[in-house]
């Protein structure tokens, strides 16, 4: 089902994401076709990290390569031998969790999703193919639909009126759509949008439709499972895809399994089940929140904050919509420290957390905010 060219694009995206992770931003957004140049220009430590990630994806022992083509050849041979790819969770709490997807699972998902997009003539990819979401919809799905793929950097300021054409499926993520709507971009006729990795705001979806979008599709799923369900409007429940069975013994936390497999899996969220294989997510079971499309765990950030000698107590939570889309922190300081020590605290966090985990705003007080009933309160 997959070709060497697919594997090469996945590895090129590994190089880009590693460059971005190390904040080599100018390298991370090079135009497609510049992959060989990127391979030769990456610092040795970044290239080594990328080689390790590619080896983990395709199931071979890490080794050095002199060219991207040789690396793609080796990875493709490993994929043909093992017939599986190991994707990883975001890893915001310790080591990323490996999630194995066999060739049979990949094909089942791609052909199970294809009927949703039967009128699509081309897929425009704005997401990295080395992550499960990007792989499923910009590598596997095009094979099921027999359509070409155009991979572009996720830059909302591109000349979309000339890049897009009728019959395109634009595969992106909520943060990109937020910027798209702010820039007042307009869709050509008969262009569809696909979104996942985090819930897309209702007002963003409405703004996309008002800018000429013909159809919006949102996918609900996880790295462990792949795509589980879909919907077209923010006010609608998600419809479970046909290749999943669902057990409703626990209606708040049901279990699911692929029809071809015996193993049951937990959903990543508490949900409400409705008739007709419909569900509404009600909150993460692992207490994570979404920051720029990544799972972030406020309790982990609190733990790191509490390890600083200045911090006596703290709370971390997601900002309210009117405040922004990042984390915020409330801190009670130990004796001898003042809010003027915030710069030291920020530096401490930046060395121990990812950029998405570091709170955007900090509030100081003599005690943690509590409601009239003594429970945690917002601030």
């Amino acid at each position: 089902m997959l070709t060497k060219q697919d594997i090469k694009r996945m590895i090129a995206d590994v190089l880009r994401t590693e460059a971005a992770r190390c904040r080599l931003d100018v390298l991370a957004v090079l135009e497609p076709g510049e992959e060989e140049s990127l391979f030769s220009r990456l610092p040795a430590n970044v290239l080594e990290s990328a080689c390790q990630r590619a080896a983990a994806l395709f199931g071979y022992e890490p080794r050095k390569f002199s060219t991207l083509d040789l690396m793609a050849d080796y990875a493709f041979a490993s994929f043909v031998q093992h017939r599986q790819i190991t994707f990883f969770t975001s890893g915001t709490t310790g080591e990323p969790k490996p999630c194995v997807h066999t060739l049979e699972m990949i094909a089942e998902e791609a052909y199970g999703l294809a009927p949703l997009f039967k009128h699509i003539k081309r897929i425009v990819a704005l997401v990295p193919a080395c992550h499960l979401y990007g792989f499923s919809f910009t590598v596997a799905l095009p094979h099921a639909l027999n359509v070409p793929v155009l991979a572009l950097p996720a830059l909302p300021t591109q000349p979309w009126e000339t890049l897009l054409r009728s019959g395109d499926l634009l595969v992106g993520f909520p943060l990109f759509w937020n910027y798209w709507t702010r820039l007042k971009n307009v869709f050509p006729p008969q262009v569809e949008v696909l979104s996942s990795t985090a819930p897309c705001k209702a007002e963003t979806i409405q703004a996309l439709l008002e800018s000429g979008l013909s159809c919006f599709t949102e996918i609900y799923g996880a790295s462990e499972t792949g795509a589980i369900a879909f919907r077209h409007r923010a006010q609608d429940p998600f419809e479970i895809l046909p290749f999943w069975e669902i057990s409703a013994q626990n209606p708040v936390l049901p279990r699911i399994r692929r029809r071809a497999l015996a193993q049951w899996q937990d959903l990543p969220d508490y949900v409400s089940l409705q008739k007709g294989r419909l569900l509404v997510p009600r909150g993460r079971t692992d207490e994570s929140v979404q920051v720029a499309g990544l799972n972030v765990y406020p309790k982990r950030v609190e733990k790191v904050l509490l390890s600083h000698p200045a911090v006596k107590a703290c709370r971390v939570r997601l900002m309210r919509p009117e405040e922004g889309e990042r984390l915020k922190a409330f801190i009670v300081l130990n004796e001898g420290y003042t809010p003027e020590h915030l710069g030291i605290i920020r530096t401490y966090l930046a060395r121990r957390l990812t950029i998405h985990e570091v709170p955007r705003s900090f509030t100081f007080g003599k005690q943690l905010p509590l409601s009239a009933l003594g429970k945690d309160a917002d601030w």
Side-chain angles (χ1 to χ4, degrees):
M1 182 180 183
L2 304 185
T3 67
K4 178 192 165 182
Q5 194 60 34
D6 295 325
I7 304 301
K8 184 176 180 179
R9 182 160 74 89
M10 293 174 69
I11 293 176
D13 281 350
V14 169
L15 299 178
R16 292 192 181 93
T17 54
E18 281 301 299
R21 188 179 64 83
C22 296
R23 302 182 183 179
L24 304 175
D25 295 333
V26 68
L27 292 176
V29 296
L30 286 175
E31 292 289 338
E34 302 267 345
E35 292 88 356
E36 289 290 353
S37 173
L38 176 59
F39 188 92
S40 63
R41 293 173 59 193
L42 281 178
N45 64 316
V46 180
L47 185 57
E48 181 181 1
S49 178
C51 287
Q52 290 174 347
R53 281 197 60 198
L57 271 173
F58 297 107
Y60 59 86
E61 289 297 319
R63 55 171 295 174
K64 294 182 180 180
F65 297 93
S66 57
T67 68
L68 179 59
D69 267 329
L70 286 174
M71 192 173 176
D73 280 338
Y74 202 89
F76 182 64
S78 184
F79 169 74
V80 171
Q81 178 184 356
H82 296 106
R83 295 172 60 86
Q84 65 183 37
I85 301 176
T86 303
F87 296 96
F88 290 82
T89 57
S90 57
T92 47
T93 56
E95 288 297 315
K97 177 183 175 182
C99 306
V100 176
H101 289 252
T102 65
L103 181 58
E104 291 73 18
M105 293 167 62
I106 291 166
E108 179 184 51
E109 180 169 308
Y111 287 96
L113 288 163
L116 293 176
F117 308 104
K118 57 186 178 181
H119 301 300
I120 294 303
K121 299 176 182 177
R122 183 180 68 167
I123 289 177
V124 181
L126 307 177
V127 290
C130 55
H131 293 285
L132 179 59
Y133 169 51
F135 171 81
S136 295
F137 290 94
T138 73
V139 179
L141 180 61
H143 283 286
L145 294 174
N146 193 27
V147 298
V149 178
L150 172 65
L152 296 174
L155 301 175
T157 54
Q158 295 197 69
W160 296 106
E161 66 280 1
T162 57
L163 289 173
L164 297 178
R165 63 195 188 202
S166 179
D168 279 351
L169 174 65
L170 194 57
V171 182
F173 48 95
L175 186 61
F176 177 84
W177 305 129
N178 291 345
Y179 285 116
W180 172 286
T181 56
R182 291 176 192 173
L183 292 170
K184 308 296 183 183
N185 286 315
V186 177
F187 291 98
Q190 300 304 311
V191 170
E192 299 187 17
V193 151
L194 181 69
S195 185
S196 192
T197 72
C200 197
K201 295 179 180 178
E203 56 267 31
T204 300
I205 298 173
Q206 185 58 36
L208 290 171
L209 293 169
E210 291 175 356
S211 60
L213 181 66
S214 65
C215 181
F216 176 88
T217 302
E218 185 174 15
I219 296 295
Y220 170 73
S223 299
E224 297 88 341
T225 61
I228 296 171
F230 71 95
R231 66 180 177 186
H232 296 301
R233 300 187 303 172
Q235 64 268 33
D236 290 343
F238 286 91
E239 181 177 344
I240 299 170
L241 289 159
F243 51 86
W244 286 106
E245 292 181 354
I246 189 160
S247 170
Q249 290 182 346
N250 182 348
V252 177
L253 190 57
R255 309 196 79 197
I256 58 171
R257 71 176 177 185
R258 290 177 178 267
R259 293 192 182 278
L261 300 177
Q263 183 179 5
W264 288 94
Q265 295 175 268
D266 293 325
L267 285 171
D269 298 273
Y270 296 106
V271 302
S272 295
L273 287 179
Q274 299 180 8
K275 292 182 179 180
R277 293 172 57 84
L278 304 176
L279 63 83
V280 178
R282 298 299 185 189
R284 295 280 301 192
T285 58
D286 56 10
E287 298 185 336
S288 70
V289 297
Q290 290 276 341
V291 175
L294 295 177
N295 290 335
V296 172
Y297 299 79
K299 291 297 182 185
R300 163 176 156 79
V301 181
E302 289 179 4
K303 184 178 180 180
V304 175
L305 262 174
L306 286 170
S307 69
H308 192 282
V311 180
K312 180 179 181 180
C314 66
R315 288 290 182 270
V316 175
R317 63 168 55 197
L318 196 62
M319 290 177 167
R320 294 190 298 275
E322 67 271 18
E323 295 174 324
E325 299 176 348
R326 301 292 291 272
L327 295 181
K328 61 181 181 178
F330 190 102
I331 296 176
V332 179
L333 293 168
N334 279 311
E335 187 175 348
Y337 293 91
T338 71
E340 293 181 356
H341 289 91
L342 176 58
I344 297 174
I345 296 173
R346 282 184 186 273
T347 300
Y348 182 82
L349 295 178
R351 290 173 177 170
R352 291 161 175 82
L353 301 172
T354 68
I355 190 171
H356 298 90
E357 293 175 294
V358 177
R360 177 63 58 85
S361 72
F362 293 82
T363 303
F364 296 91
K366 294 183 178 181
Q367 63 181 25
L368 296 176
L370 298 174
S371 69
L373 297 175
K375 298 182 178 181
D376 285 344
D378 202 356
W379 59 88

